[in-house]
Amino acid sequence: MRIQRQVVDYALRRKSLLADVYAGRVAVAEVCDANPYLLRAAKFHGRGSEVTCPICRKEQLTLVSWVYGDGLGQTAGSARTPEELARLADTKEEFSVHVVEVCRSCHWNHLVQSYVLGTDPAPRRGRSGANRENRPGSGRRSAAE
């Protein structure tokens, strides 16, 4: 699999949110709001982690990787296993991966990381050097002519 690029870690945001929950400034119901689609994705596409849920402390969190990108077609916006991510990284142009941790017991969920995978996009053909419209035989004349 290609190397992850443009990695963003949301650990500080997570730490701040948890501090607010523990201090009572944010209700538990506000952070334990995973929708059924995310919970289903955690069950079928997620991978286990060693981190215990910071809210209920009953079970280990599940990491779910979501993919987004113009070149993915119908795959965009769906959860993918690590094996599927490896295949996509080798065959598709750049796409984003968003990793969400989710507790299947209390429904805690939080974005923990995002990064870019995939092949480098094909270079766009642009103008290089002189202005093409003013080249001899281009059918256009410059102001000096």
Side-chain angles (χ1 to χ4, degrees), residues 23-77:
R25 291 185 293 268
V26 174
V28 171
E30 288 184 47
V31 296
C32 293
D33 60 351
N35 68 34
Y37 188 62
L38 175 57
L39 295 170
R40 206 169 23 253
K43 181 177 180 180
F44 294 107
H45 301 286
R47 65 185 190 278
S49 75
E50 300 297 318
V51 179
T52 302
C53 177
I55 302 297
C56 71
R57 295 183 174 95
K58 290 181 182 175
E59 71 176 62
Q60 293 175 321
L61 295 172
T62 302
L63 300 175
V64 183
S65 297
W66 298 89
V67 294
Y68 300 95
D70 294 336
L72 294 176
Q74 292 181 348
T75 304

Side-chain angles (χ1 to χ4, degrees), residues 128-142:
S128 60
N131 188 350
R132 291 182 187 198
E133 284 85 24
N134 292 333
R135 289 186 183 166
S138 67
R140 294 187 181 213
R141 293 190 288 174
S142 66

